[in-house]
Amino acid sequence: MALDTRTDRRPSLAATLWGSSVGKKTVMAVSGLIMLLYLVVHMLGNLKIFFGAAEFNHYAHWLRVVGEPFMHEEWTLWLVRVVLLAAVVAHATSAYQLSRRDIRARPATYVHKKPRASYATRTMRWGGIILGLFLVWHLLDLTTGTVHSGFRPGHPYQNVVDTFSTWYGNVIYLVAMVALGLHVRHGFWSAAQSLGVGSRSRDRLLKTTANALALVLTVGFVSVPVAVMTGVVS
């Protein structure tokens, strides 16, 4: 008689965490903070455009050779891209799955209406979609030049000026940056709660920090197209 050697396999810790709402919120929080760190660095880099074409183009070139000679040309840049792509996918997937789980958990009707959420909270999902679509546009516009008729490889300063010299380039960018500000404002505070940092005593500080980050990022990013439109950068 053959012995049954099969054993019940328990799901791994990673699978268990991912299957729970707490785990998905943690993934969403960590991936969001990774993207937030990148946004702060990216905004500071963008502000170099105010120092002229030579400074901005030199910075863009440095991004491609950072880490040399240990890292080959563009290896560090591609490493950052891979990490960011993983963060975006993890963030979007966890957000979508949490949203679907929340919808399935809702009762068909409510005895009492829920209190109105803030504007940022009610637009988080649409804001995420707007930012996702903008990311695709932004890459096709200023990285590959696919949708940029006057794109000149190796001339990032001129490419930025060209983009913000068109009405549609400005509209797309400004709408996306408003969505980004609202997303950061609510997302930072939510991430703190998911990671267990939030508390009643820290609530005001966290909300103030979230508002400050959202304002600084929005103003910092918006300042570039505004500068082109007003002729400060040309």
Side-chain angles (χ1 to χ4, degrees), residues 189 193 196-208:
W189 185 84
Q193 308 309 309
V197 178
S199 65
R200 287 187 177 182
S201 60
R202 300 172 184 165
D203 194 53
R204 178 176 294 183
L205 175 61
L206 289 171
K207 288 185 176 180
T208 300

Side-chain angles (χ1 to χ4, degrees), residues 6-62:
R6 292 177 302 175
T7 57
D8 293 332
R9 292 186 177 180
R10 294 182 179 180
S12 65
L13 178 61
T16 301
L17 288 174
W18 176 248
S20 67
S21 294
V22 173
K24 292 182 189 297
K25 288 180 179 180
T26 301
V27 170
M28 193 173 176
V30 172
S31 59
L33 291 176
I34 291 172
M35 291 186 288
L36 179 59
L37 176 61
Y38 169 77
L39 286 170
V40 172
V41 175
H42 187 46
M43 180 202 68
L44 293 174
N46 283 1
L47 296 180
K48 285 184 174 289
I49 201 168
F50 290 99
F51 295 94
E55 180 79 12
F56 190 74
N57 289 340
H58 176 70
Y59 165 69
H61 173 71
W62 174 81

Side-chain angles (χ1 to χ4, degrees), residues 17-18 22 25 39 77 86 90 106 112 118 160 172 174 185 189 195 211 214 227:
L17 288 174
W18 176 248
V22 173
K25 288 180 179 180
L39 286 170
L77 185 59
R106 291 177 184 174
H112 301 288
S118 68
V160 170
I172 291 172
L174 293 175
R185 178 176 177 268
W189 185 84
L195 296 175
N211 290 334

